[in-house]
Amino acid sequence: MHIKSTARGGTRGPYAKTAARRREILEAAVAVFGSKGYSAGSIQEVADRAGIAQTTLLHHFPTKAQLLVAVLEYRDEVSPNTPGTREHFTEVVVQQAENNEGVPHLIELYSVLCGEATTQDHPAREYFVKRFQRLRGEYSNELRYLASTGRLRPGIDPDIAGPTIVALWDGIQTQWLLSPGNVNVPQTLKAYLDLILINPEKSSA
């Protein structure tokens, strides 16, 4: 199918309309699943929020489980949660935490679905199992690298501290959702990282 280019180099036509419709559905699903959970939120509610018929929604996402997987993938695209990069580990983690504060609806969605996914046969269970396994490994590897450069404080085990960062981030983020005025996620994460990492600028001062 031919897609005409716009003057600005974008696309229009059926593909663009389909992409826009899918995005509208995903945004509606984020709102419904984030506020009511996957189990309680219905396909009809998502369709109503998107302003379309349920049959239209099912044309794009044939099942509720497929919609949920797409929502999680969409969440990762809009608000990625990746480990820091080498020497800039602390800065990247803190920056990501600050960015997350700008998308509270996605953080709410993540927290709600993560809690639900602990139940047996939940369609998002595999996603979260793999996600946490990946993050534990990535953060531990980051800390191992920092240990090799003398940045990790003596006595800190990367295989314990890595998963601790993941747990702290998720836990303090949930507290922030419940009481945003009393919890500072970036500040809390930085305080912990300052406890386990050596700042080369301060150590040489």
Side-chain angles (χ1 to χ4, degrees):
M1 183 180 293
H2 178 68
I3 304 175
K4 296 180 180 179
S5 296
T6 65
R8 296 183 179 180
T11 60
R12 62 188 177 189
Y15 283 175
K17 290 180 180 178
T18 297
R21 176 66 75 195
R22 285 174 63 90
R23 185 181 180 88
E24 290 172 357
I25 293 172
L26 292 174
E27 286 285 358
V30 166
V32 172
F33 293 160
S35 61
K36 308 188 81 171
Y38 172 79
S39 299
S42 69
I43 286 287
Q44 186 60 60
E45 287 176 296
V46 175
D48 290 344
R49 191 174 185 91
I52 59 175
Q54 184 175 142
T55 52
T56 301
L57 186 155
L58 294 174
H59 170 73
H60 294 279
F61 303 100
T63 68
K64 189 179 179 184
Q66 287 177 325
L67 175 59
L68 177 62
V69 171
V71 165
L72 290 170
E73 292 174 347
Y74 172 68
R75 182 263 175 196
D76 285 343
E77 291 175 5
V78 176
S79 180
N81 193 335
T82 56
T85 52
R86 302 297 179 168
E87 291 81 2
H88 304 291
F89 182 75
T90 296
E91 292 89 335
V92 173
V93 167
V94 172
Q95 183 61 59
Q96 181 60 57
E98 291 175 348
N99 293 342
N100 285 352
E101 292 182 338
V103 286
H105 62 299
L106 293 179
I107 304 306
E108 180 182 41
L109 169 78
Y110 169 84
S111 297
V112 169
L113 294 181
C114 183
E116 283 190 341
T118 60
T119 58
Q120 200 67 31
D121 298 325
H122 192 282
R125 185 183 180 94
E126 183 178 2
Y127 166 87
F128 282 104
V129 168
K130 290 182 177 179
R131 180 181 185 280
F132 283 125
Q133 184 178 37
R134 173 178 58 81
L135 287 178
R136 288 193 300 269
E138 289 178 345
Y139 283 123
S140 293
N141 286 336
E142 290 282 354
L143 295 179
R144 262 189 287 276
Y145 169 78
L146 292 172
S148 72
T149 64
R151 290 281 312 281
L152 191 66
R153 295 189 186 278
I156 301 298
D157 184 344
D159 289 323
I160 294 178
T164 299
I165 295 171
V166 178
L168 172 62
W169 197 334
D170 274 21
I172 201 67
Q173 201 163 241
T174 298
Q175 293 182 47
W176 170 73
L177 286 172
L178 294 170
S179 186
N182 298 318
V183 178
N184 188 314
V185 178
Q187 188 179 77
T188 301
L189 288 170
K190 186 177 185 306
Y192 176 72
L193 292 175
D194 285 345
L195 288 175
I196 66 172
L197 297 176
I198 297 171
N199 187 324
E201 295 180 1
K202 291 183 179 180
S203 61
S204 62

